[in-house]
Amino acid sequence: MAVDKLFKDEATEEKGERARMASFVGAMAIADLVKATLGPKGMDKVLQSTGRGRSVTVTNDGATILKSLHIDNPAAKVLVDISKVQDDEVGDGTTSVVVLAGELLREAEKLVAAKIHPMTVISGYRMAAECARNALLQRVMDNKDDAERFKADLMKIAMTTLSSKILSQDKEHFAKLAVDAVMRLKGSTNLEAIQIIKKPGGSLKDSFIDEGFILDKKMGIGQPKRIENAKILVANTAMDTDKVKIYGARVRVDSMSRVAQIEGAEKEKMKEKVQKIIAHGTNCFVNRQLIYNFPEELFADAGILAIEHADFDGIERLALVTGGEIASTFDNPESFKLGHCKLIEEIMIGEDKLIHFSGVEMGQACTIVLRGARVLLGGGWPEMVMAKEVDELARRTPGKKSHAIEAFSRALQAIPTTIADNAGLDSAELISQLRAEHHKEGCTAGIDILSGAVGGMEKLGISESFKVKQAVLLSATEAAEMILRVDEIITCAPRKREDRM
Amino acid sequence: MALAFDEFGRPFILIKDQEQKTRLRGLDAQKANISAAKAVARILRTSLGPKGMDKMLQSPDGEVTITNDGATILEQMDVDNQIAKLMVELSRSQDYEIGDGTTGVVVIAGALLEQAEKLLECGIHPIRIAEGYEMASRVAVEHLEHISQKFEFGTTNIEPLVQTCMTTLSSKIVNRCKRPLAEIAVKAVLAVADLERKDVNLDLIKVEGKVGGKLEDTELVYGIVVDKDMSHPQMPKQIENAKIAILTCPFEPPKPKTKHKVDIDTVEKFQTLRQQEQKYFDDMVQKCKDVGATLVICQWGFDDEANHLLMHRNLPAVRWVGGVELELIAIATGGRIVPRFQELTPEKLGKAGLVREKSFGTTKDRMLYIEQCANSRAVTIFIRGGNKMMIEETKRSLHDALCVARNLICNNSIVYGGGSAEISCSVAVESAADRYPGVEQYAIRAFADALDSVPMALAENSGLQPIETLSAVKAQQIKENNPCCGIDCNDVGTNDMREQNVFETLIGKQQQILLATQVVKMILKIDDVISPSEY
């Protein structure tokens, strides 16, 4: 007797070969989707949101594209997830990780079709990934002791990354911006201290890195537009009537005169607060919350620049760079640390007014302390190196696993192939040349997209960071393994949305 | 549906809305139930063993889970059939009781039902089958006791424990680094175990996961990791020799629960109230400071002003810490949870050697590590992994490993894995069958056959010839009188599980057999299924 209903309505179940097919197809479709964006000549995608306004994004960042897609296939979701993690963790290589995982699955599909058990494929992939990682580790260059070269490395990496983006025409400019900005952090990796303010207008070249800090706010009316040697008080406090917070308190009056009295007391209270703030000896007051008209007026009278409603990040960053504390009470001016900066002024960018803090404390002490960064060459060089090592491993390994290891090496080579294809070059020709080159010891050859030939990557100065490559390798293998292990997909009935019409 | 009629030809209405319900009776009911249960078992069968495959489950909200943990698969499978639900329960109770072997128990139950179906067709009464199964399960459990081995371990010799945990982990996706994970699990359990009372409180082990990094970066923290950061961005990120005040009261003016109103009608009242309010904050911070706290952990939020006062008085604070974490912190640091500022005393403070904030990746994720606690008996396993599904699966796998380690501490008997225990039981049950007179004999034999299904599934999943392999191993067991022969899933070359170091806990195996028999009995006893048809 057949079981008519094991699952709830609309729940579906796919088993064995069919399940595997479904996940392979889904994952490969996703990989093919972003494949065209890989490399310096990769194409961009236009994304139109379904939300209000139908806003349009043009990007070739893998993570951004995938994030905006509505995907139903569970295997595809795994790939979207790894690209998101890659973005969070290392911030680059989001497309490569998806393409590599897709290629690994494509190869796996062929093997499975040739009656090799997925588990065998997985164990082969694992060996290959380990071997590839070691190959990278051996060839990594570490220039952390040499500040100049380190900076040059950073420059190269930033340029390589940017060259696939729409900014590529100004990549040198932007790479310099990015590197300068990061170097300023003195080796701490806290990217929060770098603020990116976008203003439409002007050409891309007009982007600049500012050694100070820019706050996208206007100054209060009638307040000084320029302060030298500013003492900044960064605050997060209510500058309105300042409600009594004791629960259940309410004002109950029985005559008009009383109302006036209370109002007077409130005003007095505000005034007192302002007085206290002024007593700190500050001449610039930045508040996260609103500053009402009355206190603003008081500040203007005292010649203090008051900036209201700065966003949370802005406040934290400002406190960080000026070395001040974020205050909420103002009773002990003597033990309080004010932030300092040399100059505050209102600047105009295009049509907009911004407030510019320059000569901040953090900026002054901009000596360069560096963390170790390990660098690899770019342009498909690391993939070829890994592929070569993995190939050798395949030859040494007995048993069915060696097929899987070989497949891994083919998947690795797919990345330079895609880069070349996207640039409209003859990929078959280039890859075979490249492979021949790599059989020599100490080879630095990769694909030079600009000239469309094989060239020495070291000379061309195309580098990539080791951390990114390693993350790409590991998470792509992990994802491929996860999808391969699946032999059954059970999809629950989608939750019914309440119709709110 | 068969209806009974009274003498006037009117049907008796026995069940409400009788016409709208489908009803299955007798043999049909049993067969329907059995086939439903078998369908569930069939789904899990391929997940068994080190070469078992995973299942991908998509929840109603589109979330994807990839797992091969039986309990998790069944829980998320959204089954509708009532018997299938029983199987889900079965797996869950194995999970609660033992924590491991959730797939195996369902496979055994499925096999038992499959055998029962054949017996039913022969015309044996279901109750007799159930009784036979009961007898057989008793034999099997006793036999397990007999072939089990005790092994000794201590705080210094953790190798046997690690080996057993590795057996559990080897069937999961994390088997790439099963050794480090097994070590982490064993160390964690030993850290919280009370070896004299043979008791382990798994609540003291917190498993936290954060996406990113490699699986190899997973670490065991002797202390607590809380997914929170300091309430004020400028508070110190590292505190040594912290004295921790653990509060469940907010840094806010008190809110009396009785209804009240404070009326303000004069300027003086307005002012006194204001001063009162400021004093509240000052007092609260002062009290924490007075007892010597250097870190405040609070279950609730702070007012901006209080936050700044804390910062100003150089008293770092963490807010919105969950109740469970708060308890763990209290246990770990030896502090007391203080519900009111008035009750804050120096003795109630918790102590920790080092509290630090750690950030990850390019996102602003920060976590708070509380380490070197006064009472080191609370630990955190901090999992890193390539993606969310990986972390979730690692969490589940570690849960299994932790349970196994705990079971071993409670009861240090083990049996050998790889299906060897099942084969040995099957042989024992088979030979015991002959001693029972009566129809039950058939049921007992069927039970023996059903036990074979576990090693069969193992062999099948590992790509071996199931029948050939099983019969070879069985013959070897009988010939050598060696209950350690099992299925060589990993192609190591020997099928002696002692050499392969594949262990399972005795109580885990016993529980599997008992639970499976229980459910099967329950299902066999059903002879009438009434269910509302389409609605």
Side-chain angles (χ1 to χ4, degrees):
Chain A
M1 178 186 273
V3 195
D4 23 76
K5 242 173 70 185
L6 190 58
F7 298 106
K8 290 217 174 91
D9 288 345
E10 287 174 62
T12 55
E13 188 195 8
E14 283 180 68
K15 290 189 137 182
E17 285 303 303
R18 283 200 50 180
R20 213 166 278 138
M21 273 298 127
S23 46
F24 284 160
V25 169
M28 282 189 291
I30 288 293
D32 288 342
L33 186 76
V34 290
K35 205 172 172 181
T37 66
L38 192 72
K41 297 267 170 94
M43 305 302 269
D44 290 2
K45 305 270 175 208
V46 175
L47 306 163
Q48 190 174 29
S49 79
T50 47
R52 224 172 23 171
R54 310 249 155 199
S55 62
V56 171
T57 322
V58 179
T59 182
N60 81 359
D61 181 52
T64 316
I65 298 172
L66 293 177
K67 238 184 278 177
S68 337
L69 292 176
H70 296 287
I71 294 168
D72 211 27
N73 186 300
K77 277 192 185 143
V78 175
L79 289 196
V80 174
D81 198 53
I82 56 167
S83 121
K84 213 185 293 167
V85 172
Q86 177 85 6
D87 191 27
D88 286 352
E89 198 63 11
V90 282
D92 188 22
T94 50
T95 314
S96 328
V97 70
V98 177
V99 173
L100 184 57
E103 286 305 322
L104 284 174
L105 287 171
R106 195 188 304 275
E107 292 296 334
E109 190 200 359
K110 287 181 205 154
L111 293 175
V112 173
K115 292 278 177 280
I116 293 179
H117 196 268
M119 284 296 166
T120 320
V121 179
I122 288 172
S123 62
Y125 274 10
R126 274 189 190 170
M127 282 171 71
E130 192 56 43
C131 159
R133 190 166 151 241
N134 288 339
L136 282 189
L137 266 175
Q138 274 166 19
R139 284 176 178 73
V140 86
M141 289 174 280
D142 198 339
N143 284 338
K144 72 172 165 204
D145 302 326
D146 185 343
E148 262 318 298
R149 288 192 57 191
F150 180 75
K151 192 163 176 182
D153 277 347
L154 281 183
M155 244 340 248
K156 282 184 206 157
I157 294 178
M159 270 171 64
T160 312
T161 305
L162 289 174
S163 62
S164 67
K165 310 282 180 228
I166 201 166
L167 303 172
S168 59
Q169 42 176 340
D170 296 312
K171 65 180 173 190
E172 217 156 309
H173 183 62
F174 275 97
K176 199 164 170 325
L177 287 188
V179 172
D180 280 351
V182 175
M183 294 294 255
R184 218 160 249 286
L185 297 178
K186 296 185 281 179
S188 86
T189 46
N190 193 350
L191 286 182
E192 276 172 53
I194 301 178
Q195 187 193 22
I196 298 172
I197 291 186
K198 295 169 278 190
K199 282 279 165 199
S203 78
L204 278 176
K205 268 240 156 59
D206 294 341
S207 308
F208 65 97
I209 174 169
D210 196 277
E211 51 166 331
F213 181 81
I214 294 179
L215 201 63
D216 191 358
K217 282 282 166 268
K218 292 194 183 61
M219 296 186 173
I221 306 152
Q223 291 165 346
K225 298 277 183 238
R226 181 186 162 91
I227 299 175
E228 282 181 40
N229 280 328
K231 297 195 197 77
I232 304 162
L233 195 146
V234 188
N236 175 15
T237 184
M239 287 304 281
D240 52 2
T241 47
D242 216 0
K243 289 190 285 292
V244 177
K245 284 167 197 144
I246 292 172
Y247 182 70
R250 60 170 190 175
V251 179
R252 184 180 211 148
V253 287
D254 44 18
S255 74
M256 283 305 283
S257 57
R258 287 279 173 78
V259 177
Q261 274 173 5
I262 301 267
E263 206 187 331
E266 270 178 1
K267 258 195 176 155
E268 196 59 36
K269 188 179 162 193
M270 262 195 280
K271 203 165 174 182
E272 218 171 275
K273 199 162 181 180
V274 174
Q275 290 304 338
K276 275 188 201 155
I277 293 169
I278 296 171
H280 281 65
T282 172
N283 48 17
C284 172
F285 177 72
V286 184
N287 192 11
R288 194 182 73 78
Q289 298 175 22
L290 286 176
I291 302 176
Y292 276 54
N293 287 351
F294 178 63
E296 192 175 322
E297 198 184 307
L298 291 175
F299 282 124
D301 283 349
I304 292 177
L305 169 62
I307 301 163
E308 63 167 8
H309 213 229
D311 53 319
F312 216 84
D313 282 355
I315 282 284
E316 280 187 18
R317 230 178 257 136
L318 190 60
L320 192 71
V321 293
T322 60
E325 270 178 35
I326 300 176
S328 291
T329 57
F330 309 96
D331 291 328
N332 330 61
E334 58 288 337
S335 62
F336 185 78
K337 254 170 71 193
L338 288 173
H340 289 279
C341 81
K342 281 241 177 67
L343 180 67
I344 302 176
E345 58 183 343
E346 198 172 53
I347 51 169
M348 300 274 287
I349 293 179
E351 295 264 291
D352 291 306
K353 289 179 189 158
L354 302 169
I355 301 170
H356 179 213
F357 299 79
S358 54
V360 292
E361 277 193 354
M362 285 258 289
Q364 282 173 350
C366 199
T367 45
I368 301 169
V369 185
L370 298 171
R371 295 203 333 163
R374 295 184 286 184
V375 186
L376 294 165
L377 295 176
W381 179 83
E383 283 82 9
M384 291 313 287
V385 167
M386 290 191 274
K388 186 186 153 209
E389 290 286 324
V390 172
D391 256 341
E392 265 161 36
L393 176 74
R395 252 171 267 152
R396 288 196 305 269
T397 313
K400 279 191 276 195
K401 267 185 233 166
S402 67
H403 292 290
I405 300 175
E406 253 173 38
F408 195 93
S409 128
R410 275 200 297 278
L412 282 172
Q413 287 175 26
I415 288 190
T417 313
T418 317
I419 296 180
D421 277 340
N422 285 347
L425 303 173
D426 184 356
S427 62
E429 172 67 23
L430 277 175
I431 297 299
S432 50
Q433 270 184 30
L434 202 54
R435 201 162 48 207
E437 283 287 323
H438 271 267
H439 264 281
K440 297 173 201 149
E441 273 306 304
C443 166
T444 60
I447 300 177
D448 179 4
I449 295 299
L450 297 179
S451 68
V454 171
M457 287 295 119
E458 198 161 17
K459 261 206 311 275
L460 292 166
I462 298 175
S463 322
E464 279 177 87
S465 130
F466 170 70
K467 207 176 159 204
V468 172
K469 276 288 153 209
Q470 176 180 292
V472 166
L473 184 70
L474 291 180
S475 29
T477 321
E478 221 165 63
E481 189 180 309
M482 259 179 131
I483 294 173
L484 264 175
R485 282 177 69 106
V486 170
D487 76 333
E488 179 153 347
I489 302 175
I490 297 168
T491 313
C492 295
R495 207 182 287 287
K496 295 270 187 317
R497 280 216 192 102
E498 299 291 319
D499 242 338
R500 263 167 272 151
M501 298 302 276
Chain B
M1 187 177 294
L3 288 177
F5 297 94
D6 63 8
E7 61 260 44
F8 306 109
R10 287 177 308 206
F12 284 115
I13 305 292
L14 296 175
I15 308 161
K16 204 175 154 199
D17 299 331
Q18 187 161 270
E19 311 79 57
Q20 287 158 30
K21 289 184 173 146
T22 52
R23 189 167 176 201
L24 281 172
R25 314 188 56 172
L27 211 52
D28 279 345
Q30 271 137 2
K31 283 199 177 157
N33 291 342
I34 287 172
S35 67
K38 263 164 53 189
V40 175
R42 216 167 28 234
I43 291 175
L44 288 192
R45 200 178 151 94
T46 52
S47 288
L48 199 70
K51 296 267 168 93
M53 304 297 277
D54 289 3
K55 309 283 172 227
M56 191 185 268
L57 302 148
Q58 197 169 17
S59 79
D61 299 322
E63 293 273 314
V64 178
T65 312
I66 298 180
T67 182
N68 79 0
D69 180 58
T72 316
I73 299 172
L74 290 175
E75 202 121 316
Q76 308 218 349
M77 220 162 58
D78 206 10
V79 285
D80 203 26
N81 187 295
Q82 51 283 70
I83 297 299
K85 275 186 186 150
L86 266 184
M87 301 294 267
V88 175
E89 280 295 317
L90 166 71
S91 173
R92 195 180 299 154
S93 55
Q94 173 82 9
D95 191 31
Y96 286 162
E97 198 59 29
I98 305 295
D100 184 31
T102 49
T103 314
V105 68
V106 175
V107 172
I108 295 181
L112 285 174
L113 284 169
E114 199 170 337
Q115 295 293 336
E117 197 178 9
K118 283 184 202 149
L119 297 177
L120 283 174
E121 267 164 26
C122 300
I124 298 178
H125 194 273
I127 296 295
R128 302 298 285 274
I129 302 176
E131 270 164 18
Y133 277 0
E134 179 71 39
M135 288 172 199
S137 74
R138 238 177 287 141
V139 173
V141 168
E142 264 164 40
H143 182 72
L144 276 177
E145 188 95 52
H146 177 66
I147 60 167
S148 73
Q149 287 186 350
K150 290 211 180 283
F151 68 3
E152 296 306 318
F153 57 86
T155 38
T156 45
N157 178 22
I158 58 169
E159 190 55 30
L161 289 176
V162 174
Q163 290 289 356
T164 321
C165 287
M166 271 166 67
T167 310
T168 305
L169 290 176
S170 62
S171 65
K172 313 283 179 194
I173 192 165
V174 294
N175 58 9
R176 178 155 50 93
C177 47
K178 60 182 171 183
R179 175 87 211 182
L181 285 181
E183 274 171 17
I184 285 174
V186 171
K187 279 184 194 152
V189 169
L190 280 178
V192 302
D194 188 342
L195 285 176
E196 270 153 40
R197 275 178 50 233
K198 294 200 170 182
D199 186 32
V200 184
N201 186 358
L202 284 187
D203 290 342
L204 293 179
I205 302 175
K206 190 165 178 262
V207 184
E208 258 310 321
K210 194 113 215 163
V211 176
K214 307 187 287 285
L215 199 53
E216 284 85 351
D217 297 337
T218 301
E219 57 177 345
L220 177 67
V221 181
Y222 286 98
I224 309 285
V225 178
V226 192
D227 195 357
K228 288 278 176 297
D229 53 3
M230 296 288 182
S231 63
H232 198 288
Q234 288 165 321
M235 285 177 177
K237 307 280 181 229
Q238 186 163 348
I239 307 158
E240 277 169 37
N241 289 323
K243 293 209 178 72
I244 306 168
I246 305 161
L247 300 171
T248 50
C249 44
F251 272 92
E252 271 170 17
K255 289 181 180 159
K257 292 198 180 64
T258 42
K259 268 212 171 151
H260 70 288
K261 282 193 188 104
V262 184
D263 280 345
I264 303 170
D265 49 8
T266 64
V267 175
E268 291 76 48
K269 277 192 188 167
F270 183 79
Q271 254 141 15
T272 34
L273 211 55
R274 210 182 91 210
Q275 272 154 17
Q276 186 74 29
E277 181 192 297
Q278 274 175 347
K279 208 164 145 297
Y280 267 130
F281 287 127
D282 242 6
D283 280 356
M284 283 185 244
V285 178
Q286 191 56 42
K287 268 188 194 121
C288 298
K289 203 72 189 168
D290 279 347
V291 293
T294 54
L295 173 68
V296 178
I297 289 177
C298 186
Q299 192 173 12
W300 301 100
F302 315 147
D303 195 89
D304 285 339
E305 277 183 37
N307 199 0
H308 174 251
L309 276 176
L310 284 168
M311 156 76 196
H312 196 74
R313 298 283 191 85
N314 204 6
L315 192 56
V318 187
R319 58 181 155 185
W320 299 121
V321 178
V324 184
E325 276 126 1
L326 212 63
E327 267 173 44
L328 272 176
I329 293 173
I331 294 171
T333 59
R336 290 266 291 277
I337 297 176
V338 181
R340 245 174 301 197
F341 284 98
Q342 287 78 8
E343 289 170 19
L344 207 57
T345 56
E347 303 83 63
K348 288 183 180 169
L349 295 182
K351 288 175 193 61
L354 180 66
V355 178
R356 62 196 165 99
E357 212 182 80
K358 206 173 166 186
S359 54
F360 303 96
T362 57
T363 43
K364 291 189 208 160
D365 281 340
R366 294 204 191 86
M367 301 221 74
L368 200 68
Y369 280 57
I370 303 173
E371 289 170 298
Q372 300 165 18
C373 301
N375 176 4
S376 65
R377 305 222 1 232
V379 295
T380 308
I381 299 176
F382 188 57
I383 303 173
R384 310 298 313 272
N387 53 49
K388 202 169 76 234
M389 291 145 231
M390 191 74 189
I391 292 204
E392 288 302 311
E393 178 67 358
T394 313
K395 266 190 195 171
R396 284 189 287 270
S397 312
L398 266 177
H399 165 79
D400 284 8
L402 289 174
C403 290
V404 166
R406 178 199 58 188
N407 294 341
L408 275 179
I409 287 175
C410 300
N411 180 352
N412 63 354
S413 305
I414 50 133
V415 289
Y416 291 94
S420 66
E422 283 86 355
I423 298 175
S424 172
C425 280
S426 155
V427 173
V429 172
E430 182 90 54
S431 62
D434 300 334
R435 291 201 299 276
Y436 286 92
V439 190
E440 284 85 2
Q441 203 184 81
Y442 284 89
I444 296 174
R445 275 209 196 97
F447 192 93
D449 283 343
L451 281 176
D452 282 344
S453 68
V454 173
M456 282 256 244
L458 276 179
E460 231 169 89
N461 293 344
S462 315
L464 304 167
Q465 290 289 338
I467 298 175
E468 222 169 88
T469 321
L470 178 63
S471 47
V473 172
K474 214 170 190 174
Q476 195 186 354
Q477 274 213 8
I478 294 172
K479 202 172 94 196
E480 296 174 12
N481 198 13
N482 176 5
C484 314
C485 293
I487 308 289
D488 180 16
C489 298
N490 288 326
D491 223 10
V492 181
T494 167
N495 52 16
D496 191 329
M497 292 296 135
R498 208 168 344 181
E499 277 168 43
Q500 284 204 20
N501 282 330
V502 179
F503 307 125
E504 283 178 71
T505 55
L506 170 68
I507 43 175
K509 267 274 122 60
Q510 285 180 332
Q511 194 74 19
Q512 270 187 354
I513 293 180
L514 289 176
L515 278 176
T517 318
Q518 235 171 54
V519 166
V520 168
K521 266 170 65 190
M522 197 160 28
I523 294 176
L524 282 176
K525 279 187 177 171
I526 300 169
D527 75 335
D528 201 339
V529 182
I530 301 166
S531 53
S533 55
E534 305 309 308
Y535 52 89

